[in-house]
Amino acid sequence: MNLNLFSQNEESKYISQNGFSQVNIISKKDTISFLTTNVDTKKAKPTILFLQGSLPKPIIFHDSTGASVTAFPFEIDTYLKRFNFVVIARHGIPIVGSYEKDTGGYLDKNGKVPAEYVKYDNLKYRTFQAKSVVDYLYKQKWVQKDSIFVIGHSEGYRVAAKLSENNRKIAKLVCMSANPFNRIAEYVLKSRIETLSTASDSLLQKEIESDIKSFKNIPKDIEVYKNDYEDYNWMSYNSVLSFDSFSKFKNPILVTYGTEDRGSLNNDLLPFLLRKTKLTMFVYPDLDHNYSKKEIDKNGNELENSYHWDRVFKDIQNWLLRNSMKE
């Protein structure tokens, strides 16, 4: 079902305009769509699968002038000779959307998030999508089989972690800006930090206890709730712990986050939890969830935040290209 208001030719124009090709993996029950940078099929290259965070966003945004940009938070042009880049479309969300209307999330003609997106917005399905794409890439001549890299940001961190479990096709894993436990642990950490600057923290303590109780009450088999989409989706992301998934991945892992991203600070515990894992940490002082930094002039006035995604990705690509056998 095409949810977009564009014709197929218009959508293809914007995809091509940004240097991508669309691939559809079609089965009897599902179609998984993803974009890949145009490839030289005669040359195998390292390939990066980028897993986006939450929110029902298209991959490409266009404006009224016909110009368009991708949802990649870093510039990829510099790296196209070295890597193929792949990004998966969210189920039920068009690949191309309006810059003016859809950057905060796509809504249908009734002003609602599409039901198809809500139905499939869970960890199990997103992991299935990503695994299907990795399996596809592994068979392609233009993909260097020993250099398939997965990068997940925010919610994509959790998807990448789950995807990595016992997955030998992934050469290196990068997880960015999320809690190494689950979303509930993120809420607990944020509340605990808030108690340090609160005169009376009894209410926050009750919130923490309530969050922990909600985690403990998640049933072992959440599949019985699979038709209750919102509850099932919530449980899917909170019933597993990402660091457990890391322990089942044998290849190198890189975890990155900014110190102003409170929910990510528990990543400091990973070296203690994963003593025998090939783990590298890149920690960025003063940067937030999306690697922005608050800037203040000499008079104390707030300026526009500075943007550091490109610096972070440059560090990541340098790490990806190291010989993993020497780490």
Side-chain angles (χ1 to χ4, degrees):
M1 179 173 60
N2 185 4
L3 295 172
N4 211 334
L5 298 178
F6 310 115
S7 69
Q8 191 169 3
N9 287 339
E10 284 179 303
E11 188 174 79
S12 297
K13 179 189 77 172
Y14 287 119
I15 292 171
S16 177
Q17 182 174 294
N18 283 275
F20 286 93
S21 299
Q22 181 175 345
V23 178
N24 296 321
I25 302 174
I26 301 172
S27 64
K28 290 182 179 179
K29 295 183 178 180
D30 193 22
T31 297
I32 297 170
S33 297
F34 67 90
L35 299 186
T36 176
T37 46
N38 289 336
V39 295
D40 177 358
T41 55
K42 297 180 181 179
K43 181 181 179 182
K45 289 192 294 188
T47 299
I48 292 173
L49 170 60
F50 182 71
L51 299 174
Q52 303 174 83
S54 57
L55 299 180
K57 292 185 178 182
I59 298 174
I60 294 173
F61 300 95
H62 77 95
D63 63 20
S64 56
T65 70
S68 59
V69 295
T70 71
F72 275 96
F74 48 88
E75 292 292 336
I76 65 174
D77 292 355
T78 307
Y79 306 101
L80 291 178
K81 290 183 179 179
R82 186 166 288 169
F83 299 103
N84 302 308
F85 287 88
V86 174
V87 60
I88 304 171
R90 300 302 298 268
H91 195 100
I93 303 300
I95 289 174
V96 178
S98 163
Y99 186 81
E100 290 84 1
K101 296 179 181 179
D102 301 325
T103 50
Y106 176 83
L107 301 176
D108 63 22
K109 61 183 180 181
N110 297 315
K112 296 183 178 181
V113 176
E116 281 291 293
Y117 171 83
V118 175
K119 180 178 179 180
Y120 290 96
D121 183 28
N122 61 71
L123 181 60
K124 182 178 179 179
Y125 181 75
R126 286 203 68 189
T127 305
F128 165 75
Q129 268 190 321
K131 184 179 184 302
S132 299
V133 172
V134 168
D135 290 346
Y136 174 92
L137 294 173
Y138 194 77
K139 298 175 183 178
Q140 306 309 307
K141 293 180 179 179
W142 45 271
V143 174
Q144 199 170 305
K145 286 181 171 53
D146 63 352
S147 298
I148 295 176
F149 306 131
V150 174
I151 301 176
H153 176 252
S154 193
E155 183 178 279
Y157 175 122
R158 308 187 195 288
V159 179
K162 190 65 179 174
L163 171 67
S164 74
E165 291 184 3
N166 304 310
N167 194 325
R168 297 185 179 183
K169 294 176 182 176
I170 301 171
K172 289 188 176 183
L173 179 72
V174 182
C175 289
M176 314 176 70
S177 302
N179 192 286
F181 300 105
N182 58 18
R183 287 176 174 171
I184 294 174
E186 184 176 327
Y187 305 150
V188 169
L189 178 61
K190 287 179 177 178
S191 294
R192 181 59 71 206
I193 291 172
E194 193 175 342
T195 65
L196 300 177
S197 58
T198 303
S200 177
D201 54 18
S202 58
L203 289 178
L204 286 167
Q205 179 59 30
K206 287 181 179 179
E207 285 184 20
I208 290 170
E209 291 169 0
S210 176
D211 286 334
I212 293 173
K213 183 178 180 180
S214 68
F215 168 67
K216 294 173 73 173
N217 285 339
I218 296 173
K220 288 184 178 180
D221 181 13
I222 69 170
E223 293 302 313
V224 295
Y225 293 91
K226 64 182 180 181
N227 294 321
D228 187 348
Y229 303 135
E230 291 189 7
D231 283 347
Y232 179 78
N233 295 349
W234 179 86
M235 285 187 283
S236 75
Y237 283 105
N238 286 299
S239 60
V240 297
L241 303 176
S242 292
F243 86 90
D244 277 340
S245 298
F246 291 154
S247 68
K248 300 172 186 175
F249 183 64
K250 304 306 180 185
N251 290 337
I253 300 170
L254 171 63
V255 172
T256 81
Y257 64 96
T259 59
E260 290 299 310
D261 184 11
R262 290 185 172 189
S264 294
L265 299 183
N266 273 337
N267 284 300
D268 288 333
L269 301 177
L270 282 174
F272 301 93
L273 296 167
L274 304 171
R275 294 180 68 178
K276 296 182 179 180
T277 302
K278 297 176 182 177
L279 175 68
T280 302
M281 307 278 289
F282 288 171
V283 183
Y284 295 91
D286 305 319
L287 302 190
D288 65 13
H289 185 71
N290 285 302
Y291 303 104
S292 292
K293 180 182 178 182
K294 290 183 180 179
E295 299 290 352
I296 300 174
D297 66 18
K298 60 183 180 181
N299 297 318
N301 300 312
E302 286 192 14
L303 304 173
E304 184 176 354
N305 288 358
S306 57
Y307 191 71
H308 296 270
W309 252 107
D310 291 304
R311 172 165 68 92
V312 172
F313 182 72
K314 185 176 181 180
D315 292 342
I316 290 171
Q317 74 95 31
N318 288 337
W319 179 83
L320 290 175
L321 293 176
R322 292 180 198 164
N323 187 339
S324 60
M325 296 301 292
K326 294 181 181 178
E327 293 191 356

